[in-house]
Structure formats: C-alpha cells, structure tokens
Amino acid sequence: MKKFVGTSLVSVLLTLSFASSVALANESDRFLVEVLNKENEPIIESVHKDEVEELTDAKVLQPDYIRKIALQAGTWQAKSWGPAHIGADKLIERTRELEGIVIVAVIDTGVDTNHPFLRDRLVAGYDVLDKDSDPMDEHFHGTHMAGIIADTTPANVKIMPVRAVDKEGRGYDNHIAEGIRYAVDHGADIINMSFVGEEYSTYLADAIGYALEHNVVVVVASGNESIDTSPLYPAGEQKVIVVGASDRNDRIADFSNTGASIDIAAPGVDILSSVPGGSFKSYSGTSTATPFVSAVAAMLKLEDPTRTVLDIDRLLKKYTIDRGAAGWDPQFGEGILNLSTYDEKVTREILSPPMNVSSDTKSFPSQEGVPLNKSWRVTFDRALTQGDKVDIRINRSGKDVPIVTETKANEIIVTPIRKFFPHSNYQLLLFVENGGQYEMKFRTGE
C-alpha cells in the first residue's frame, strides 16, 4: 500500500467492523442525471445544463466533469529511448513466445487503426462518442499512447482502442466511465488512462471500482501542472496506479504532479511514438509515462495470467530505481520503473513473502461467521500522517489474498478484491513501523 510522510506511529488502536488542498474548478456544461426509461427503470444520462430544468422527474447526481489529456510538446528525438531505459528488453524476451495474449485498453482519443506500426497490434475497439466500432483517432494523443505500448511489449500484447476523448482532447466522465466498462466487459486486462481533471467523481470512481473488482489493472497519469494530486481525479485515486514522469537523467520532470497518490515514475520527456498518418513525433508529459507502466503491467500479466491487481502493483513497485528521498516519496513514488534486475525467483518471493510474525505479535479476538464480502475498518488512535508506514495483509493458507485499501484521516478500510471462500480460515496481519505487530484470525460463513 502507499506510504505516508511524517512521524512514525508509536501506538495503535484496532477496531474491526463493517466498512460502510483546495480543489480546482472543473467547468462542465453537462450534468449526470437519473431518469426513468421506457420500462420505468432508473438509468443515468448526461444532459446539457440548459436542459436540466426541463427534466421534471430527473434526479441530478453530479456535474459530468471533463478530463483532459496530459501531454505537451517535446523535443524531436531520432529514436525511442524509453523501453531501453527501463530495461524492458529482458521481460520482452521472456514473454515473447508465451501462449495467449494480454489486452491493454487505451481509453483516449482513439487510435489510427491504419498506422503501419500499430495495425497488427490491435484488437476490436469501440467509439463511445459515435457509438460504433470505428475508434479512429481524430486528435493524435491515443495513437501516441498506443505506440509506446507497442514499442515496449512483444506482439502477444494487444491494444484495444476505446475512443472516449474528443478531437480537442476533452473527455466527459459519462463517456470515460462507459469506455471503462466496455473495456472490462470485452476482455481488457490493463486499462491505460493518460488524462487528468479536477474534482472527484463518484460516477467515474464507480467505473474504476468495476474494473478493479474484475481484476483489471488501472494505470493513470498524475498530470502536468506541477501541483499536488489531491484535488485531481483520477490522479488522486489511491486504488489505481498513478504515474509521474522522469527524464533521461532520472530526474522528475518539472511539470510532473506530485503527492500522496504517486506510485511510480517512468520516462515522460521527449518520447518518440506513433501519430496518425503513419508518422512519428516526440511529446512529453505524464501521459507518455503512463503507457510504459501499462506495458510492463501487461508483460507481467502475460508471464502469469493468474496474477491479481495486487500482484502486479507489488511487482511494479519492486522493480524500480529509488530516486529522491529514500524509499517512497511524493515525487517518484517507489522510484523509476526499471526491469534490468528482473528475476523469476525474486518475483516469486515478492508475491509470496515470509510472514515473519514475531512471538510478541499482539492478537485480537478471533471472529466467526464472517461474510464473504467483509470489509475491515482499522482505526488508529490519531490521524495518519504522510510518513507513517503501515502494512496490512490478509492471509489464507500461508499466502496473501488480494485486497484493496482505502486510507482516511485515522483509519484504513480493507476490502477483498474477490469474495472470501466460504467456511475458510483467514488471518489479518497489521505491521506498524515503531508501533508493533497485530493479528486477528477469522473464519468465514456461508
């Protein structure tokens, strides 16, 4: 899970129960409303603000916020430098001959499906804006993102173009959420979203949650405004992989956003990739850093299709070069993505680390009949700060099970990605730096 920066926890109170910066203006001209269809069933539609008053029976849910691509001009490069810089060659060779495919959905402005560099790497996609199966890129951004993925992976990693952002580089939450659900329902393993916007969106968060619930890795750009990610979305989302941009010298790009949500950094300055019309061009931005991470996530999934969202997250963060402050920091996250030391044996150890439960571990009363979708609320005796280091795991038969954690002021909510097995024994483990170790055993019911 993400680390917090400040003082370490000295004491902790644990309770277990069911879980139930200044924002920037996001000027949207549309609202999401709940209306009844012909079958008298509630559905959600996007309506222009001038039409809202005419809908007498509609329930206004939230503005249909706008997200924008996270890209800026770069200096011309004669050749691609990113894949070699992150040591991708070793993993490309390992996965090139493996059976099956992994699909990366690029939710963006579409892709030039006729581009010679891309046309053999694509699977069927969708145009959310025009409601058809021709997601042709009318901008260039999506084609550039797809090219980075193709350049960093073997041919058995395929790209699903989903056009949800218009030719001006603007995408409404309504369209983006539809694109996410389309990608999940049509076999995507990874979702790349190289855009950012202001304001938290429940509607978009629900779509991201839908992807995570279906074990689809979601990778997003941190943004290019040199600001904190906390008022941004999805860049401020703790549940996804948030990517910052670095340069050839492994320095954080001066435009790259920073903050508590940052997970990892990747090359994002002067990145050469495909653009519509069969040509290539260099651009910079956290937009271009994000597909490097999506590409590596795809190869990790290709190597072992059983890997979960949590497995991929752990491996990405393990294979990094630490830059900035030691350990996690709000600029680089865990560090700059680098696979030069990738080793299959080490990878197995990362995914099945020893529990190292010491003899002085404090135990809480065991629980029986726990629901299969149970969330645990871990409450601390004070508000968490950004330097507190906390590791929470749920273990079954000696192996970690995939979980999602949500951090609030003084608590962490722990939820299984998939339902627990019925009538099974589990162990919740809590490790707090300078604060001790705790465990709680529980058994599920029906």
Side-chain angles (χ1 to χ4, degrees), residues 1-5 196 219-232 234-246 252-253 255-266 286 289-290 293 313 316-317 320 322-323 327-337 386:
M1 61 175 294
K2 294 190 172 66
K3 298 180 177 67
F4 306 92
V5 183
V196 71
V219 188
V220 308
S222 67
N224 301 342
E225 295 77 30
S226 303
I227 62 173
D228 191 278
T229 57
S230 56
L232 306 178
E237 174 61 76
Q238 295 280 343
K239 297 178 183 178
V240 301
I241 298 171
V242 182
V243 185
S246 56
I252 200 70
F255 54 76
S256 189
N257 289 343
T258 60
S261 67
I262 302 296
D263 288 290
I264 199 169
T286 57
T290 304
V293 177
D313 180 83
L316 288 170
K317 293 174 181 178
T320 58
D322 194 12
R323 288 292 184 268
W328 180 91
D329 68 76
Q331 288 189 314
F332 293 91
E334 296 292 340
I336 298 174
L337 183 64
Q386 291 189 4

Side-chain angles (χ1 to χ4, degrees), residues 84-323:
H85 196 79
I86 65 171
D89 292 349
K90 188 173 183 179
L91 195 52
I92 290 173
E93 288 304 315
R94 282 184 56 79
T95 56
R96 190 186 303 278
E97 303 301 326
L98 295 178
E99 295 182 358
I101 64 170
V102 166
I103 297 174
V104 182
V106 177
I107 299 180
D108 214 291
T109 61
V111 170
D112 179 359
T113 55
N114 298 317
H115 199 294
F117 189 63
L118 298 174
R119 59 190 174 203
D120 294 332
R121 299 294 301 274
L122 303 177
V123 296
Y126 183 62
D127 188 329
V128 177
L129 306 184
D130 293 339
K131 308 300 182 193
D132 62 34
S133 58
D134 183 20
M136 183 61 73
D137 192 354
E138 298 181 14
H139 186 266
F140 66 82
H141 189 268
T143 302
H144 202 266
M145 302 306 105
I148 295 170
I149 295 169
D151 194 31
T152 315
T153 57
N156 42 359
V157 171
K158 302 297 184 181
I159 298 162
M160 176 192 293
V162 178
R163 181 173 176 254
V165 181
D166 66 22
K167 60 184 177 182
E168 296 178 353
R170 294 159 29 107
Y172 287 96
D173 284 355
N174 174 54
H175 293 141
I176 294 168
E178 183 179 347
I180 292 172
R181 292 178 182 275
Y182 174 91
V184 173
D185 292 344
H186 289 80
D189 300 285
I190 318 291
I191 289 177
N192 186 96
M193 298 196 295
S194 291
F195 49 76
V196 71
E198 303 86 19
E199 305 292 349
Y200 175 82
S201 168
T202 300
Y203 191 70
L204 187 53
D206 286 346
I208 290 173
Y210 181 76
L212 297 176
E213 289 166 5
H214 287 78
N215 202 36
V216 177
V217 178
V218 180
V219 188
V220 308
S222 67
N224 301 342
E225 295 77 30
S226 303
I227 62 173
D228 191 278
T229 57
S230 56
L232 306 178
Y233 203 79
E237 174 61 76
Q238 295 280 343
K239 297 178 183 178
V240 301
I241 298 171
V242 182
V243 185
S246 56
D247 63 18
R248 284 176 179 265
N249 298 311
D250 289 345
R251 298 172 302 199
I252 200 70
D254 58 5
F255 54 76
S256 189
N257 289 343
T258 60
S261 67
I262 302 296
D263 288 290
I264 199 169
V269 178
D270 299 334
I271 303 300
L272 181 69
S273 184
S274 50
V275 291
S279 58
F280 298 83
K281 194 171 181 179
S282 301
Y283 286 96
S284 297
T286 57
S287 267
T288 61
T290 304
F292 283 110
V293 177
S294 294
V296 173
M299 290 189 287
L300 294 173
K301 186 76 171 181
L302 186 62
E303 187 180 46
D304 183 353
T306 68
R307 286 174 178 162
T308 65
V309 169
L310 180 61
D311 291 337
I312 301 298
D313 180 83
R314 285 182 176 171
L315 290 174
L316 288 170
K317 293 174 181 178
K318 176 63 178 179
Y319 289 107
T320 58
I321 295 178
D322 194 12
R323 288 292 184 268

